[in-house]
Amino acid sequence: MLYVITGPPAAGKSTWIEAHATARDIVIDLDRITRALTGPGAPAWNHERIAQRVAQRARYAAIDEALKHLDDLDVYLIHTMPSSQARARYRRLGARIVVVDPGEDVVRDRVRAMRAEAMERVVTRWYREYRRGGSHPVTTQASRDW
């Protein structure tokens, strides 16, 4: 089964996956990929532009390969703001789309505390799209309290 975990930055998408995925499952999380590709002491978030670019390429390759194995294991894919084309692809693959959203106030507090200032714009964009119906959740899930 393919699980597409979506939601604004700092919503708890990775935490949701940690609560549901097993060690045998494939987890495709851009932050985890970036950390795996950068040296000791690299930040958990707010990565350098080149590191993000390299990690994004690795993410695309991981998605392409993981989708070949959906009959054998579960794949958890974090996709913060999937486009309509990506959502259509996920629907064709029979994905379960989970929206993790603890609420805009909580997300904004977390972003201010942990993320780069530029991430505020991503939060604004995510909520604007979500309210317009840009994301069509199958399951909405709040994250845990931090």
Short mmCIF file of all heavy atoms in Angstrom, two decimals, residues 13-39 42-47 51-52 54-56 58-59 62 75-78 115:
data_model
loop_
_atom_site.label_atom_id
_atom_site.label_comp_id
_atom_site.label_asym_id
_atom_site.label_seq_id
_atom_site.Cartn_x
_atom_site.Cartn_y
_atom_site.Cartn_z
N LYS A 13 4.10 15.20 10.23
CA LYS A 13 4.03 14.14 9.22
C LYS A 13 5.00 13.00 9.54
O LYS A 13 4.62 11.83 9.48
CB LYS A 13 4.30 14.71 7.83
CG LYS A 13 3.25 15.75 7.40
CD LYS A 13 3.53 16.35 6.05
CE LYS A 13 4.79 17.18 5.97
NZ LYS A 13 4.74 18.45 6.72
N SER A 14 6.22 13.34 9.87
CA SER A 14 7.22 12.31 10.21
C SER A 14 6.81 11.56 11.47
O SER A 14 6.99 10.34 11.55
CB SER A 14 8.60 12.95 10.41
OG SER A 14 9.04 13.53 9.22
N THR A 15 6.25 12.26 12.42
CA THR A 15 5.79 11.62 13.65
C THR A 15 4.66 10.65 13.36
O THR A 15 4.61 9.55 13.92
CB THR A 15 5.34 12.70 14.66
OG1 THR A 15 6.43 13.58 14.91
CG2 THR A 15 4.86 12.09 15.95
N TRP A 16 3.77 11.02 12.46
CA TRP A 16 2.67 10.12 12.08
C TRP A 16 3.24 8.84 11.48
O TRP A 16 2.80 7.74 11.82
CB TRP A 16 1.73 10.81 11.09
CG TRP A 16 0.49 10.02 10.83
CD1 TRP A 16 -0.71 10.14 11.48
CD2 TRP A 16 0.32 8.97 9.87
NE1 TRP A 16 -1.60 9.23 10.97
CE2 TRP A 16 -0.99 8.50 9.99
CE3 TRP A 16 1.16 8.38 8.93
CZ2 TRP A 16 -1.50 7.46 9.21
CZ3 TRP A 16 0.67 7.34 8.14
CH2 TRP A 16 -0.65 6.90 8.27
N ILE A 17 4.24 9.01 10.62
CA ILE A 17 4.84 7.83 9.99
C ILE A 17 5.53 6.96 11.04
O ILE A 17 5.41 5.72 11.01
CB ILE A 17 5.82 8.25 8.88
CG1 ILE A 17 5.03 8.80 7.69
CG2 ILE A 17 6.70 7.07 8.45
CD1 ILE A 17 5.88 9.40 6.59
N GLU A 18 6.24 7.56 11.97
CA GLU A 18 6.91 6.79 13.02
C GLU A 18 5.91 5.95 13.81
O GLU A 18 6.25 4.87 14.28
CB GLU A 18 7.67 7.72 13.97
CG GLU A 18 8.92 8.30 13.36
CD GLU A 18 9.60 9.32 14.25
OE1 GLU A 18 9.33 9.32 15.48
OE2 GLU A 18 10.39 10.11 13.73
N ALA A 19 4.69 6.44 13.96
CA ALA A 19 3.67 5.71 14.70
C ALA A 19 3.02 4.60 13.89
O ALA A 19 2.37 3.72 14.47
CB ALA A 19 2.59 6.69 15.19
N HIS A 20 3.18 4.62 12.56
CA HIS A 20 2.46 3.66 11.71
C HIS A 20 3.36 2.72 10.90
O HIS A 20 2.96 1.59 10.62
CB HIS A 20 1.52 4.41 10.77
CG HIS A 20 0.41 5.09 11.48
ND1 HIS A 20 0.54 6.35 12.05
CD2 HIS A 20 -0.86 4.70 11.77
CE1 HIS A 20 -0.60 6.69 12.63
NE2 HIS A 20 -1.46 5.71 12.47
N ALA A 21 4.50 3.17 10.48
CA ALA A 21 5.36 2.36 9.63
C ALA A 21 6.14 1.34 10.46
O ALA A 21 6.37 1.53 11.66
CB ALA A 21 6.33 3.25 8.86
N THR A 22 6.53 0.26 9.80
CA THR A 22 7.38 -0.74 10.44
C THR A 22 8.78 -0.64 9.85
O THR A 22 9.01 0.04 8.84
CB THR A 22 6.84 -2.17 10.19
OG1 THR A 22 6.99 -2.49 8.80
CG2 THR A 22 5.37 -2.28 10.60
N ALA A 23 9.71 -1.34 10.46
CA ALA A 23 11.10 -1.31 10.00
C ALA A 23 11.23 -1.84 8.58
O ALA A 23 12.16 -1.46 7.85
CB ALA A 23 11.98 -2.12 10.95
N ARG A 24 10.32 -2.67 8.15
CA ARG A 24 10.37 -3.26 6.80
C ARG A 24 9.85 -2.32 5.72
O ARG A 24 10.14 -2.47 4.55
CB ARG A 24 9.54 -4.55 6.82
CG ARG A 24 9.63 -5.35 5.57
CD ARG A 24 8.88 -6.67 5.74
NE ARG A 24 8.98 -7.44 4.52
CZ ARG A 24 8.22 -7.25 3.45
NH1 ARG A 24 7.31 -6.31 3.45
NH2 ARG A 24 8.38 -7.99 2.37
N ASP A 25 9.07 -1.33 6.11
CA ASP A 25 8.46 -0.41 5.16
C ASP A 25 9.48 0.57 4.60
O ASP A 25 10.53 0.80 5.19
CB ASP A 25 7.32 0.36 5.83
CG ASP A 25 6.19 -0.54 6.28
OD1 ASP A 25 5.94 -1.57 5.62
OD2 ASP A 25 5.55 -0.21 7.30
N ILE A 26 9.13 1.16 3.48
CA ILE A 26 9.95 2.21 2.87
C ILE A 26 9.35 3.55 3.26
O ILE A 26 8.14 3.78 3.10
CB ILE A 26 9.97 2.07 1.32
CG1 ILE A 26 10.53 0.72 0.90
CG2 ILE A 26 10.73 3.23 0.69
CD1 ILE A 26 11.97 0.48 1.28
N VAL A 27 10.20 4.45 3.75
CA VAL A 27 9.78 5.80 4.13
C VAL A 27 10.57 6.78 3.27
O VAL A 27 11.80 6.78 3.30
CB VAL A 27 10.02 6.08 5.62
CG1 VAL A 27 9.69 7.53 5.95
CG2 VAL A 27 9.20 5.13 6.49
N ILE A 28 9.84 7.59 2.51
CA ILE A 28 10.48 8.58 1.64
C ILE A 28 10.13 9.95 2.20
O ILE A 28 9.01 10.44 2.05
CB ILE A 28 10.04 8.41 0.18
CG1 ILE A 28 10.39 6.99 -0.30
CG2 ILE A 28 10.72 9.47 -0.69
CD1 ILE A 28 9.84 6.63 -1.65
N ASP A 29 11.10 10.54 2.86
CA ASP A 29 10.94 11.80 3.59
C ASP A 29 12.13 12.67 3.19
O ASP A 29 13.28 12.32 3.46
CB ASP A 29 10.94 11.49 5.09
CG ASP A 29 10.92 12.71 5.98
OD1 ASP A 29 11.20 13.83 5.52
OD2 ASP A 29 10.64 12.53 7.19
N LEU A 30 11.87 13.78 2.53
CA LEU A 30 12.95 14.63 2.02
C LEU A 30 13.89 15.09 3.13
O LEU A 30 15.10 15.14 2.92
CB LEU A 30 12.37 15.83 1.27
CG LEU A 30 13.39 16.69 0.54
CD1 LEU A 30 14.16 15.89 -0.50
CD2 LEU A 30 12.69 17.87 -0.11
N ASP A 31 13.37 15.39 4.30
CA ASP A 31 14.25 15.80 5.40
C ASP A 31 15.20 14.67 5.80
O ASP A 31 16.40 14.88 6.00
CB ASP A 31 13.44 16.24 6.62
CG ASP A 31 12.75 17.58 6.43
OD1 ASP A 31 13.25 18.40 5.63
OD2 ASP A 31 11.71 17.79 7.06
N ARG A 32 14.68 13.44 5.88
CA ARG A 32 15.53 12.29 6.24
C ARG A 32 16.57 12.03 5.16
O ARG A 32 17.72 11.72 5.45
CB ARG A 32 14.68 11.04 6.44
CG ARG A 32 13.86 11.07 7.71
CD ARG A 32 12.96 9.87 7.84
NE ARG A 32 13.74 8.66 8.05
CZ ARG A 32 13.20 7.48 8.23
NH1 ARG A 32 11.89 7.33 8.22
NH2 ARG A 32 13.95 6.41 8.42
N ILE A 33 16.16 12.15 3.91
CA ILE A 33 17.09 11.93 2.80
C ILE A 33 18.20 12.97 2.84
O ILE A 33 19.38 12.64 2.70
CB ILE A 33 16.35 11.95 1.44
CG1 ILE A 33 15.41 10.75 1.32
CG2 ILE A 33 17.35 11.98 0.28
CD1 ILE A 33 14.45 10.83 0.15
N THR A 34 17.82 14.22 3.06
CA THR A 34 18.82 15.29 3.10
C THR A 34 19.81 15.07 4.25
O THR A 34 21.02 15.21 4.07
CB THR A 34 18.16 16.67 3.23
OG1 THR A 34 17.17 16.80 2.19
CG2 THR A 34 19.18 17.79 3.09
N ARG A 35 19.30 14.69 5.41
CA ARG A 35 20.19 14.42 6.53
C ARG A 35 21.13 13.26 6.22
O ARG A 35 22.29 13.27 6.61
CB ARG A 35 19.39 14.13 7.80
CG ARG A 35 18.84 15.39 8.44
CD ARG A 35 18.31 15.16 9.84
NE ARG A 35 17.37 14.08 9.97
CZ ARG A 35 16.05 14.20 9.81
NH1 ARG A 35 15.52 15.37 9.48
NH2 ARG A 35 15.26 13.16 9.97
N ALA A 36 20.61 12.26 5.51
CA ALA A 36 21.46 11.10 5.16
C ALA A 36 22.57 11.49 4.18
O ALA A 36 23.62 10.85 4.15
CB ALA A 36 20.60 9.99 4.56
N LEU A 37 22.34 12.52 3.40
CA LEU A 37 23.30 12.92 2.37
C LEU A 37 24.24 14.04 2.82
O LEU A 37 25.14 14.42 2.07
CB LEU A 37 22.56 13.37 1.11
CG LEU A 37 21.78 12.27 0.40
CD1 LEU A 37 20.92 12.87 -0.72
CD2 LEU A 37 22.70 11.20 -0.15
N THR A 38 24.04 14.58 4.01
CA THR A 38 24.89 15.67 4.48
C THR A 38 25.76 15.18 5.64
O THR A 38 25.51 14.13 6.22
CB THR A 38 24.05 16.89 4.93
OG1 THR A 38 23.06 16.46 5.87
CG2 THR A 38 23.36 17.53 3.73
N GLY A 39 26.77 15.97 5.94
CA GLY A 39 27.74 15.58 6.95
C GLY A 39 27.26 15.74 8.37
O GLY A 39 26.18 16.28 8.63
N ALA A 42 24.90 18.60 10.34
CA ALA A 42 23.98 19.30 9.43
C ALA A 42 22.63 19.45 10.13
O ALA A 42 22.23 18.60 10.92
CB ALA A 42 23.81 18.53 8.12
N PRO A 43 21.92 20.52 9.84
CA PRO A 43 20.64 20.74 10.52
C PRO A 43 19.58 19.72 10.12
O PRO A 43 19.63 19.15 9.03
CB PRO A 43 20.24 22.15 10.07
CG PRO A 43 20.94 22.34 8.78
CD PRO A 43 22.22 21.57 8.87
N ALA A 44 18.64 19.49 11.02
CA ALA A 44 17.53 18.59 10.73
C ALA A 44 16.57 19.20 9.71
O ALA A 44 15.92 18.50 8.96
CB ALA A 44 16.78 18.26 12.02
N TRP A 45 16.49 20.54 9.69
CA TRP A 45 15.67 21.28 8.74
C TRP A 45 16.51 22.44 8.23
O TRP A 45 17.65 22.61 8.64
CB TRP A 45 14.41 21.83 9.39
CG TRP A 45 13.58 20.78 10.06
CD1 TRP A 45 12.80 19.85 9.44
CD2 TRP A 45 13.45 20.55 11.46
NE1 TRP A 45 12.20 19.05 10.36
CE2 TRP A 45 12.59 19.46 11.62
CE3 TRP A 45 13.99 21.14 12.59
CZ2 TRP A 45 12.23 18.95 12.86
CZ3 TRP A 45 13.64 20.64 13.84
CH2 TRP A 45 12.77 19.57 13.96
N ASN A 46 15.94 23.26 7.39
CA ASN A 46 16.62 24.46 6.91
C ASN A 46 17.94 24.11 6.21
O ASN A 46 18.99 24.69 6.50
CB ASN A 46 16.87 25.46 8.05
CG ASN A 46 15.61 25.78 8.81
OD1 ASN A 46 14.53 25.81 8.24
ND2 ASN A 46 15.74 26.00 10.10
N HIS A 47 17.90 23.18 5.31
CA HIS A 47 19.08 22.69 4.63
C HIS A 47 19.59 23.68 3.59
O HIS A 47 18.85 24.51 3.08
CB HIS A 47 18.76 21.36 3.92
CG HIS A 47 18.16 20.35 4.83
ND1 HIS A 47 18.87 19.70 5.80
CD2 HIS A 47 16.90 19.88 4.94
CE1 HIS A 47 18.09 18.87 6.46
NE2 HIS A 47 16.88 18.96 5.96
N ALA A 51 22.29 20.93 -1.01
CA ALA A 51 21.90 19.69 -0.34
C ALA A 51 20.45 19.35 -0.66
O ALA A 51 20.11 18.18 -0.91
CB ALA A 51 22.12 19.81 1.16
N GLN A 52 19.58 20.35 -0.67
CA GLN A 52 18.17 20.13 -1.00
C GLN A 52 18.03 19.62 -2.43
O GLN A 52 17.22 18.72 -2.69
CB GLN A 52 17.38 21.42 -0.85
CG GLN A 52 17.15 21.82 0.58
CD GLN A 52 16.41 23.15 0.68
OE1 GLN A 52 16.48 23.99 -0.21
NE2 GLN A 52 15.70 23.34 1.77
N VAL A 54 20.24 17.96 -4.31
CA VAL A 54 20.73 16.58 -4.40
C VAL A 54 19.71 15.63 -3.78
O VAL A 54 19.38 14.58 -4.35
CB VAL A 54 22.11 16.44 -3.72
CG1 VAL A 54 22.53 14.97 -3.62
CG2 VAL A 54 23.16 17.24 -4.49
N ALA A 55 19.19 16.00 -2.62
CA ALA A 55 18.21 15.15 -1.94
C ALA A 55 16.93 15.01 -2.76
O ALA A 55 16.33 13.93 -2.80
CB ALA A 55 17.90 15.72 -0.56
N GLN A 56 16.50 16.08 -3.41
CA GLN A 56 15.30 16.02 -4.25
C GLN A 56 15.47 15.00 -5.38
O GLN A 56 14.56 14.23 -5.67
CB GLN A 56 14.99 17.41 -4.79
CG GLN A 56 13.64 17.53 -5.44
CD GLN A 56 12.50 17.41 -4.49
OE1 GLN A 56 11.91 16.34 -4.40
NE2 GLN A 56 12.16 18.46 -3.78
N ALA A 58 17.45 12.41 -5.33
CA ALA A 58 17.43 11.09 -4.70
C ALA A 58 15.99 10.68 -4.35
O ALA A 58 15.62 9.51 -4.49
CB ALA A 58 18.30 11.10 -3.45
N ARG A 59 15.19 11.64 -3.94
CA ARG A 59 13.79 11.37 -3.61
C ARG A 59 13.03 10.88 -4.83
O ARG A 59 12.27 9.91 -4.75
CB ARG A 59 13.14 12.65 -3.05
CG ARG A 59 11.67 12.51 -2.70
CD ARG A 59 11.14 13.84 -2.16
NE ARG A 59 9.74 13.79 -1.87
CZ ARG A 59 8.77 14.10 -2.74
NH1 ARG A 59 9.07 14.50 -3.96
NH2 ARG A 59 7.51 14.03 -2.38
N ALA A 62 14.01 7.37 -5.49
CA ALA A 62 13.45 6.48 -4.48
C ALA A 62 11.97 6.23 -4.73
O ALA A 62 11.50 5.09 -4.60
CB ALA A 62 13.66 7.08 -3.08
N VAL A 75 4.72 1.64 1.42
CA VAL A 75 5.56 2.80 1.14
C VAL A 75 4.87 4.02 1.73
O VAL A 75 3.69 4.26 1.47
CB VAL A 75 5.78 3.00 -0.38
CG1 VAL A 75 6.53 4.29 -0.66
CG2 VAL A 75 6.50 1.79 -0.97
N TYR A 76 5.62 4.76 2.55
CA TYR A 76 5.14 5.99 3.15
C TYR A 76 5.89 7.14 2.50
O TYR A 76 7.11 7.20 2.59
CB TYR A 76 5.41 5.99 4.66
CG TYR A 76 4.57 4.98 5.40
CD1 TYR A 76 4.93 3.64 5.45
CD2 TYR A 76 3.40 5.36 6.05
CE1 TYR A 76 4.16 2.70 6.12
CE2 TYR A 76 2.62 4.43 6.72
CZ TYR A 76 3.01 3.11 6.76
OH TYR A 76 2.24 2.19 7.42
N LEU A 77 5.16 8.01 1.86
CA LEU A 77 5.75 9.12 1.12
C LEU A 77 5.24 10.44 1.68
O LEU A 77 4.03 10.69 1.70
CB LEU A 77 5.37 9.00 -0.36
CG LEU A 77 5.66 10.20 -1.25
CD1 LEU A 77 7.16 10.49 -1.31
CD2 LEU A 77 5.09 9.96 -2.64
N ILE A 78 6.16 11.27 2.15
CA ILE A 78 5.77 12.61 2.57
C ILE A 78 5.77 13.51 1.35
O ILE A 78 6.78 13.61 0.65
CB ILE A 78 6.71 13.16 3.66
CG1 ILE A 78 6.54 12.36 4.95
CG2 ILE A 78 6.44 14.65 3.89
CD1 ILE A 78 7.42 12.81 6.09
N ARG A 115 11.90 26.45 12.45
CA ARG A 115 12.21 26.50 11.03
C ARG A 115 12.65 27.88 10.60
O ARG A 115 12.49 28.86 11.31
CB ARG A 115 10.99 26.07 10.21
CG ARG A 115 10.41 24.72 10.57
CD ARG A 115 11.31 23.58 10.16
NE ARG A 115 10.85 22.29 10.63
CZ ARG A 115 10.09 21.45 9.94
NH1 ARG A 115 9.68 21.79 8.75
NH2 ARG A 115 9.74 20.31 10.46
#
